Amino acid sequence: MKKMVVIIIFFILLLTGSRLLWLQLFIQSHQPYAEKGQLDLRDFDFQHRTLTLDGEWLFYPSGWLMDKDNPPTSTTYIQVPDGWDEIFQEDEWTPYGYGSYHLKLLIDPERAFTFSMRVPSIRSAAEIYVDGHLIAAAGELGENRQQTVAKNVPFTASFETKGRSEIDIIVQAANFQDPRNGGIVRSIKFGQEKMIFRETQLSITMQLLVAVVLILHAIYSVILYLLGNKDSRLLFFSVLTISIMFYYLLGSDDKLLSFWFPINYEWGFKFVHLSMVGIGYSLLQCIDPWLPRHIHRAKQGFALVCACAVVLAILLPTRYAVTMQGVYIVLLAVPIVITLVLMLGRTIKDIRHNVFLLLAILAFVNSILWDVLLLITGIKVISYPFDLIITIACLATLWFKDYVKVHADTKELAHKLQKANRLKDEFLASTSHELRNPLHSIINMSEAVLERESAVLTHKSVNDLETVLAVGKRMSLLLNDLLDVMSLNENTKKLHLGPVSIHTIVEAVLEMLRFMIEGKPIDFVNQIPRDFHKVIADENRVIQIVFNLVHNAVKFTDEGAITLSGYTTGEGMAKIVIADTGIGVDAETMQRIFEPYEQGTISKTIVEGGFGLGLNISKRLIELHGGTLEVQSVVGQGSTFAFTLPLSDEAEIQGTYEKEQNHKKQESVVEQSDVEKKRLTVCNRPRILVVDDEPINLRVIETILTNEKYEVVTVTSGLKALKCLWSEEWDLVISDVMMPKMSGYELVRSIRKQFTMTDLPVLLLTARSQPHDIENGFLAGANDYVVKPVDALELRSRVEALTKVRRSIQELHRMEAAWLQAQIEPHFLFNTLNAILTLSELDSERTSKLVEALSDFLRESYNFQNGEALVPLENELRLVQAYLYIQQERFGKRIQVVWQLEVETNVLIPSLTIQPLIENALKHGILKRSEGGTIHIRMINVDTHLEITVADNGVGMDKEQLAKLLQPKERSSSSIGLINTHRRLQHHYGQGLRITSKLHEGTSVSFVVVAKTPLDALPLDKY
């Protein structure tokens, strides 16, 4: 507080000291005054000083002293400066009239100077004569209103004395326009020409300084208004400073505006009055936030009075408008007083934060007090502008300080909002990630319950679960949209550009979305040709764009068709058009359809749900590619979305493709020439078949996987892949999803017609990582997937896992076969050998055949092929025939065999699957009867599979024994063969042994073999 008091005292001292210094420099002290029409200047120092021609002048009312033909008769003395109102009539004062002023100056004849007279105001027209010569004039003199032309502007007149001792000055004046005092109303300055010129220029400079300061503040205010938050007070502050400038330049001694612009006498008054109204009204608007409530209520009345005053100032003639000058003074004074009071009140409450307000008050009050003091004392001095400049500067500083504070607060708020927006995005992203886990749990649990319990649940419960699944998947899509928006906002979406086939992408997207049009009479029409020019784009993002646009069309189309077409433009762009026959959108909605969270038609939004992010994401992704997205729509007729993407360099692609093909041909020649050597060296390495229509992608995958661990072969189409699969053995197939003619999904479905998931794993390369896209791959029969662009570490890890699983399954089959081989009981061999020894003494031919049968049995039992997962049916039949022959030789007619073979023997089946069933039928079935029995072996084709049955008419089993037969924990050692056979069949075909039995009637064991489909039987004609 003490510091503030010191600052205030210092400021007051500075104001007072500068004003006193100004007075010391320019005050007209100890100057002589005119008496009886004469002024003695013989001892006056003209070298360093000027004076005013104040005092008693001779005055000739209603007469022209320079009119020699009609000289004035009456004369009197008049005080200058002052009006002549009381001169013309004794009983009535009037400012209107004309007359002549006369003053004689006595000077030293030895001082030959060039003198000047500075005349600030003579109302309303005047002529000045020196020694009978006209040296200056303003307006035109006349003896009535019609003859007089008013022009009350400052002027300077110069003349030489030429050694004279007296100077005769005559001023003739006329006033019939100004209702105020007429005549010489302001002091006339007199002195050497250079001194008058210096003081005049100094006065003009001071006024220009004020004008410049004011106009600069006006310009700053307008600029801040245009660049800032459009605060109307800035404009009113600009009007305030402009109004003060006009008032100052028109109401001061020099009236500079009248010299710069052609402003006549009438409009000079009008502008002064308008400036007064402008100052009062704009000042009140600037302090509007400070105004108390009761003054707020009177603002409208004040504004109405100001409007009336403006109209009157423009329309009324000057002589009438000047009589109302008191009203304009009130309109000016009232806001100034209110402002000073409010400013003082605010300052008293908090001086520290309102120091500039207090300084402005002090400067303004100081200016008023000094002006009043000089008016009372009659001291004439050059205009002192610094108090006004300081006042305006302090107010402007206060204003701009508040504005800067508001601006700083706005920036801080904007920073906080940006931070809040970023936190919001992070929250949404984090929430989306957090919600995905429980949401996927809900989806997975619902799918599991629906799949497991669909047979026992009611129809309504199944529908409810399906609804839960649909809502969950929809929510999953929404969460993915949110994550995409976050990535786009953070500019973390990176494009992996390359040549992309639009036709392939459209085909794949339409296949993914066909489930959405089930139950709707809608057709997908793909008019984009297979050989449509490729584009340079990120395949993942293009899939997302097409998916969103087609998905949007499906949502808002109830019937009709969704048509996709494409063509190239002359600007090197491909234009893809998606047209639907849906509900359409109106013009207002189309203006904001690409805004985020814009959902368009409310009724459809309620039905479909969603955040309205799909179109916004698509537009931003297209723009990232350098393309555009446009929409046209008619309500009730449908919408058309069209987007552009840059075309690829087809020549470059063709060259790359041909280079790859040549490279492949060369590699093929090398491989064919050294195929046997390669087989010997790489026989133990997993063999991988890679399928992709882009040679560059094949080279990338080959580079990642080709090392000492894998043998990689690449093909460029699904059809070529099927030919390779039929002709050779493979451990893994890696296939792209988006391929022309035959997509990855179709390839997988074709593979699964020939190979099980364990026989030949399939890894899909997909550009889409959405749950429903991955689900489509798994439903088609894929084992796993990798999202493109491929990460080398992830690809190697998944490939290694799948190939290890496949090799583990193979090893398991070999171990099982070995284990089964180990189950051949030693007494079976001893019994067979005993039978051979016995027969050798009785029948050599039968002995020879038995030895041959035993040899076949042992050869087929220990054949290395039995370690493989699948063996030809012919091999299995040779083993069975040898086994049965041996047993029939041992037990004779107790064993009868009936064969029913209606199949091709080149079918592949799991090894050691039929022999264990026959052995079980013999040991636990017919041989437990003293009379023996019959084994019926039936193999027939049923639709797409082979059904194999081994039935006997042995002792059979009761229900309790049958229930425990295939339960591993309850089995006896005698059922090991059945258990292993059952488990291996389940592994290959998803179903194992089917056993039926009745006690004392017999047992039937059957299983199904899904045969491989020959290549020529596959539906390849459409490719």
Side-chain angles (χ1 to χ4, degrees):
M1 188 66 184
K2 292 181 180 180
K3 185 177 180 181
M4 295 302 301
V5 172
V6 171
I7 292 174
I8 293 170
I9 294 174
F10 176 77
F11 185 73
I12 294 174
L13 293 176
L14 180 64
L15 292 176
T16 305
S18 60
R19 177 70 78 159
L20 292 174
L21 179 60
W22 191 264
L23 290 176
Q24 182 67 30
L25 292 175
F26 300 104
I27 192 171
Q28 312 294 337
S29 58
H30 306 292
Q31 71 161 43
Y33 291 91
E35 297 179 359
K36 304 298 182 180
Q38 182 173 299
L39 180 59
D40 189 354
L41 300 176
R42 287 173 292 190
D43 296 328
F44 190 79
D45 182 12
F46 286 103
Q47 292 286 349
H48 303 96
R49 298 172 58 195
T50 61
L51 73 159
T52 57
L53 301 181
D54 296 346
E56 290 182 335
W57 287 46
L58 280 172
F59 182 67
Y60 301 88
S62 303
W64 305 119
L65 194 58
M66 296 305 296
D67 188 358
K68 303 299 182 183
D69 298 330
N70 189 19
T73 56
S74 61
T75 182
T76 185
Y77 291 104
I78 189 171
Q79 189 68 33
V80 175
D82 203 354
W84 60 28
D85 294 18
E86 72 279 10
I87 298 297
F88 295 101
Q89 299 180 20
E90 294 181 2
D91 298 333
E92 182 180 357
W93 289 8
T94 176
Y96 304 118
Y98 65 94
S100 300
Y101 291 87
H102 184 206
L103 178 65
K104 183 179 291 186
L105 301 179
L106 302 179
I107 62 174
D108 187 352
E110 295 181 359
R111 298 179 181 177
F113 297 129
T114 298
F115 290 101
S116 289
M117 298 173 60
R118 177 65 178 173
V119 181
S121 177
I122 299 178
R123 297 171 183 161
S124 299
E127 293 178 347
I128 297 179
Y129 295 86
V130 174
D131 295 333
H133 299 286
L134 179 65
I135 62 172
E140 296 182 8
L141 299 177
E143 297 180 359
N144 53 52
R145 183 183 304 279
Q146 290 74 24
Q147 295 176 351
T148 305
V149 177
K151 187 177 182 181
N152 183 13
V153 294
F155 59 88
T156 301
S158 300
F159 58 90
E160 296 180 357
T161 58
K162 297 180 180 180
R164 295 191 300 273
S165 60
E166 292 184 0
I167 300 175
D168 217 24
I169 299 176
I170 295 175
V171 178
Q172 296 185 154
N175 178 42
F176 294 98
Q177 286 81 16
D178 197 329
R180 300 172 297 175
N181 288 338
I184 304 174
V185 294
R186 294 186 183 177
S187 299
I188 299 175
K189 281 193 176 182
F190 182 80
Q192 281 194 75
E193 184 180 38
K194 63 180 181 179
M195 295 294 294
I196 294 294
F197 177 79
R198 187 187 69 179
E199 292 186 5
T200 301
Q201 288 302 115
L202 180 61
S203 178
I204 292 174
T205 301
M206 293 298 102
Q207 294 174 65
L208 284 176
L209 179 62
V210 174
V212 169
V213 171
L214 293 171
I215 195 97
L216 285 178
H217 283 87
I219 293 172
Y220 291 155
S221 301
V222 173
I223 292 175
L224 289 176
Y225 174 80
L226 295 175
L227 298 180
N229 56 356
K230 300 297 187 293
D231 189 347
S232 60
R233 289 180 298 166
L234 287 169
L235 290 182
F236 283 116
F237 184 77
S238 178
V239 173
L240 173 65
T241 54
I242 294 295
S243 299
I244 294 174
M245 184 192 71
F246 270 88
Y247 181 79
Y248 193 74
L249 295 182
L250 284 172
S252 64
D253 288 346
D254 295 301
K255 299 180 181 178
L256 295 179
L257 225 57
S258 300
F259 287 97
W260 297 339
F261 302 100
I263 302 175
N264 60 27
Y265 185 80
E266 289 276 342
W267 277 101
F269 277 103
K270 292 180 186 295
F271 279 130
V272 170
H273 291 158
L274 292 174
S275 299
M276 295 170 73
V277 176
I279 293 171
Y281 182 75
S282 58
L283 181 60
L284 206 60
Q285 294 297 325
C286 287
I287 63 169
D288 181 74
W290 302 350
L291 295 176
R293 289 186 177 179
H294 61 279
I295 297 181
H296 259 296
R297 289 193 291 268
K299 269 185 62 180
Q300 293 184 347
F302 182 80
L304 182 62
V305 173
C306 289
C308 294
V310 169
V311 172
L312 292 175
I314 294 174
L315 299 180
L316 285 180
T318 302
R319 61 185 302 179
Y320 300 114
V322 172
T323 59
M324 298 176 60
Q325 197 164 23
V327 176
Y328 293 94
I329 293 174
V330 171
L331 294 177
L332 174 63
V334 169
I336 291 176
V337 172
I338 293 175
T339 301
L340 289 175
V341 172
L342 292 177
M343 289 167 65
L344 190 59
R346 286 175 63 89
T347 303
I348 293 173
K349 290 180 180 179
D350 189 359
I351 296 179
R352 182 179 299 277
H353 292 91
N354 295 284
V355 60
F356 288 104
L357 199 60
L358 179 59
L359 298 181
I361 295 173
L362 293 175
F364 186 74
V365 171
N366 182 74
S367 178
I368 293 176
L369 292 177
W370 275 104
D371 288 344
V372 171
L373 179 63
L374 293 177
L375 182 65
I376 294 173
T377 59
I379 298 175
K380 305 297 180 182
V381 68
I382 293 176
S383 175
Y384 180 81
F386 299 108
D387 288 344
L388 183 59
I389 292 175
I390 292 173
T391 301
I392 296 297
C394 289
L395 288 176
T397 303
L398 174 67
W399 183 271
F400 293 138
K401 177 186 175 185
D402 291 342
Y403 182 81
V404 169
K405 183 178 182 301
V406 170
H407 182 67
D409 293 342
T410 303
K411 287 183 66 176
E412 183 179 358
L413 180 60
H415 177 71
K416 290 181 179 179
L417 288 175
Q418 291 174 349
K419 183 178 179 181
N421 187 60
R422 186 172 63 254
L423 291 175
K424 179 261 297 179
D425 290 345
E426 293 175 358
F427 171 76
L428 286 175
S430 175
T431 303
S432 300
H433 282 293
E434 291 298 326
L435 288 176
R436 291 176 74 178
N437 291 333
L439 180 60
H440 288 173
S441 299
I442 293 172
I443 294 173
N444 295 334
M445 290 293 290
S446 301
E447 286 180 336
V449 171
L450 186 60
E451 182 179 352
R452 185 179 66 247
E453 309 291 344
S454 58
V456 298
L457 292 174
T458 64
H459 180 69
K460 184 177 184 304
S461 297
V462 171
N463 288 339
D464 290 343
L465 274 176
E466 290 176 344
T467 302
V468 169
L469 278 173
V471 173
K473 291 178 179 179
R474 179 61 181 161
M475 287 182 65
S476 180
L477 291 175
L478 297 179
L479 294 179
N480 291 330
D481 284 342
L482 282 174
L483 293 174
D484 281 338
V485 169
M486 301 309 116
S487 299
L488 287 169
N489 289 340
E490 296 171 3
N491 295 320
T492 57
K493 281 284 186 186
K494 304 299 182 183
L495 298 181
H496 301 274
L497 301 178
V500 175
S501 170
I502 293 295
H503 171 82
T504 303
I505 287 177
V506 168
E507 281 291 328
V509 169
L510 294 182
E511 185 175 350
M512 286 188 283
L513 288 174
R514 289 191 191 278
F515 75 94
M516 288 191 62
I517 62 173
E518 293 180 0
K520 284 186 175 184
I522 300 176
D523 293 326
F524 284 146
V525 181
N526 182 10
Q527 296 180 350
I528 301 174
R530 295 183 184 276
D531 58 350
F532 187 77
H533 203 302
K534 292 187 178 181
V535 297
I536 284 293
D538 186 328
E539 185 178 18
N540 299 354
R541 305 284 79 86
V542 176
I543 294 172
Q544 187 174 5
I545 292 166
V546 177
F547 182 90
N548 285 340
L549 295 179
V550 178
H551 182 267
N552 183 76
V554 171
K555 283 199 306 180
F556 296 102
T557 302
D558 295 325
E559 60 180 353
I562 297 173
T563 305
L564 292 92
S565 57
Y567 58 90
T568 58
T569 67
E571 301 174 353
M573 305 290 283
K575 191 164 191 176
I576 312 303
V577 181
I578 301 172
D580 63 63
T581 57
I583 61 175
V585 294
D586 54 33
E588 180 184 355
T589 305
M590 243 193 310
Q591 298 297 322
R592 46 189 172 84
I593 197 171
F594 295 119
E595 295 296 323
Y597 309 104
E598 174 57 45
Q599 296 176 308
T601 307
I602 299 300
S603 60
K604 288 295 290 184
T605 300
I606 293 174
V607 176
E608 300 292 343
F611 288 137
L613 295 173
L615 293 180
N616 174 260
I617 292 171
S618 298
K619 185 173 188 295
R620 294 168 72 175
L621 288 175
I622 290 169
E623 290 173 350
L624 276 178
H625 285 84
T628 58
L629 175 60
E630 300 172 348
V631 59
Q632 295 179 349
S633 184
V634 177
V635 176
Q637 298 183 19
S639 304
T640 300
F641 288 84
F643 67 92
T644 59
L645 292 173
L647 291 170
S648 65
D649 188 343
E650 199 68 38
E652 180 181 349
I653 294 175
Q654 185 64 26
T656 303
Y657 178 76
E658 291 176 355
K659 183 178 179 181
E660 288 289 331
Q661 293 304 310
N662 293 333
H663 178 72
K664 293 298 180 185
K665 290 179 181 178
Q666 294 173 3
E667 288 185 345
S668 177
V669 171
V670 174
E671 288 177 0
Q672 291 175 3
S673 64
D674 201 20
V675 63
E676 293 302 326
K677 181 179 178 181
K678 185 174 181 180
R679 289 294 185 200
L680 293 173
T681 57
V682 301
C683 59
N684 291 323
R685 294 195 305 178
R687 303 189 71 239
I688 300 174
L689 180 64
V690 183
V691 192
D692 198 312
D693 61 316
E694 288 294 339
I696 296 176
N697 294 343
L698 292 176
R699 176 58 60 85
V700 171
I701 302 299
E702 193 174 16
T703 302
I704 294 174
L705 297 180
T706 299
N707 53 32
E708 68 281 357
K709 293 179 64 176
Y710 304 108
E711 176 189 353
V712 179
V713 176
T714 61
V715 292
T716 56
S717 70
L719 185 57
K720 293 180 181 179
L722 290 177
K723 291 179 179 179
C724 292
L725 292 174
W726 185 252
S727 60
E728 299 181 63
E729 289 289 332
W730 304 93
D731 291 282
L732 176 65
V733 175
I734 300 175
S735 175
D736 185 24
V737 171
M738 302 298 171
M739 294 188 297
K741 298 182 179 180
M742 178 184 286
S743 70
Y745 298 143
E746 294 170 299
L747 174 61
V748 175
R749 283 193 285 267
S750 298
I751 291 174
R752 288 295 164 253
K753 292 177 182 179
Q754 304 179 65
F755 303 95
T756 65
M757 295 184 70
T758 55
D759 287 338
L760 183 58
V762 179
L763 174 65
L764 286 180
L765 302 180
T766 175
R768 297 277 290 179
S769 60
Q770 304 298 329
H772 57 275
D773 303 318
I774 305 305
E775 183 184 16
N776 287 337
F778 286 134
L779 290 176
N783 296 70
D784 205 347
Y785 72 94
V786 172
V787 178
K788 295 195 299 185
V790 173
D791 178 77
L793 180 60
E794 180 184 10
L795 181 64
R796 291 194 189 103
S797 301
R798 293 184 184 271
V799 166
E800 184 177 6
L802 290 174
T803 53
K804 280 185 176 180
V805 167
R806 206 257 181 180
R807 289 297 176 96
S808 297
I809 295 297
Q810 289 178 326
E811 184 64 24
L812 177 63
H813 290 322
R814 284 193 291 268
M815 291 178 66
E816 287 177 345
W819 188 87
L820 286 172
Q821 292 162 1
Q823 298 306 303
I824 300 176
E825 298 179 2
H827 69 268
F828 170 76
L829 292 176
F830 294 145
N831 291 336
T832 304
L833 292 175
N834 289 332
I836 293 172
L837 291 173
T838 303
L839 283 175
S840 65
E841 297 177 357
L842 300 176
D843 189 339
S844 61
E845 184 178 352
R846 288 177 61 192
T847 301
S848 176
K849 290 182 178 180
L850 185 58
V851 171
E852 184 179 354
L854 179 60
S855 175
D856 289 340
F857 177 79
L858 293 175
R859 182 173 59 252
E860 294 299 332
S861 295
Y862 294 99
N863 193 323
F864 71 94
Q865 287 185 339
N866 289 346
E868 301 297 329
L870 299 174
V871 297
L873 177 60
E874 182 180 1
N875 293 15
E876 188 75 5
L877 290 177
R878 283 200 297 267
L879 176 67
V880 170
Q881 289 172 344
Y883 177 77
L884 286 173
Y885 183 83
I886 293 171
Q887 295 290 29
Q888 285 178 321
E889 284 294 330
R890 288 182 60 205
F891 296 102
K893 294 182 180 180
R894 292 180 63 191
I895 300 175
Q896 300 294 323
V897 180
V898 178
W899 292 87
Q900 184 181 353
L901 299 180
E902 300 177 3
V903 296
E904 297 290 336
T905 59
N906 61 348
V907 177
L908 298 177
I909 68 169
S911 62
L912 294 174
T913 52
I914 302 176
Q915 187 273 337
L917 303 183
I918 294 175
E919 182 179 356
N920 188 72
L922 289 175
K923 293 175 60 177
H924 304 289
I926 61 175
L927 292 180
K928 285 191 175 184
R929 285 182 172 182
S930 58
E931 70 275 17
T934 301
I935 294 177
H936 192 105
I937 303 171
R938 184 174 64 250
M939 301 181 187
I940 60 175
N941 283 321
V942 180
D943 294 332
T944 59
H945 60 273
L946 171 67
E947 184 174 306
I948 299 175
T949 304
V950 176
D952 67 74
N953 58 356
V955 297
M957 294 176 287
D958 57 24
K959 291 183 179 180
E960 185 178 354
Q961 289 176 310
L962 184 62
K964 295 179 178 180
L965 187 63
L966 297 180
Q967 295 181 9
K969 292 183 180 180
E970 302 293 336
R971 74 182 189 272
S972 64
S973 60
S974 62
S975 65
I976 292 177
L978 288 180
I979 291 294
N980 279 272
T981 302
H982 176 69
R983 185 164 58 83
R984 288 187 295 122
L985 288 171
Q986 280 187 322
H987 176 74
H988 282 290
Y989 306 120
Q991 53 185 320
L993 297 175
R994 292 178 297 178
I995 304 176
T996 60
S997 183
K998 288 185 178 181
L999 192 62
H1000 309 305
E1001 292 185 10
T1003 302
S1004 176
V1005 181
S1006 64
F1007 63 91
V1008 171
V1009 174
V1010 180
K1012 285 189 177 180
T1013 304
L1015 188 63
D1016 54 5
L1018 294 174
L1020 301 178
D1021 54 334
K1022 68 175 182 177
Y1023 303 117

